[in-house]
Amino acid sequence: MAAAALATKPKHQPRHQPKHQPLQKKPLPAGRPREWYETHNRRLKAMRLAIALLDTGVYHPDMAPNRKIRTTAARIGIHPPSDLTCAMVRALIRYGR
């Protein structure tokens, strides 16, 4: 009897449909020095890696040596980061706590 009652319950219906739309990519501003673009892309890469590490339970910079950061980069499908980018990842983890 109890099994029949469980089988007839309706599935959970959300109250509202989420209206998430992907962000539109905008081109980077033209006319800036090359170093600005390199730094911008390095920061984006460091943020992606910091988020991926936080998702795996790395909450302290000491838990993120260069090797772990590069392994995470390979796992999420981005090119291996430089030593400078690894340092930026640790800084983001440090200041994000």
Side-chain angles (χ1 to χ4, degrees):
M1 177 105 177
L6 290 175
T8 58
K9 286 187 177 180
K11 293 184 179 179
H12 173 69
Q13 296 293 325
R15 293 182 194 177
H16 64 283
Q17 294 295 325
K19 297 182 180 181
H20 298 289
Q21 294 181 3
L23 295 174
Q24 295 289 328
K25 287 190 175 182
K26 293 188 259 182
L28 294 175
R32 304 246 172 135
R34 180 176 177 84
E35 293 81 25
W36 184 89
Y37 298 103
E38 290 172 355
T39 303
H40 175 76
N41 289 331
R42 187 182 308 273
R43 287 177 182 160
L44 290 177
K45 186 178 206 175
M47 282 192 289
R48 283 189 211 106
L49 286 166
I51 291 167
L53 286 166
L54 289 168
D55 286 344
T56 62
V58 175
Y59 299 116
H60 197 272
D62 295 339
M63 297 170 63
N66 288 358
R67 184 173 184 169
K68 184 167 193 96
I69 294 171
R70 290 186 176 119
T71 303
T72 303
R75 186 174 50 82
I76 64 175
I78 59 177
H79 289 282
S82 66
D83 291 342
L84 181 60
T85 305
C86 290
M88 289 177 105
V89 169
R90 283 188 288 278
L92 286 169
I93 293 171
R94 179 179 302 113
Y95 294 114
R97 295 190 295 147

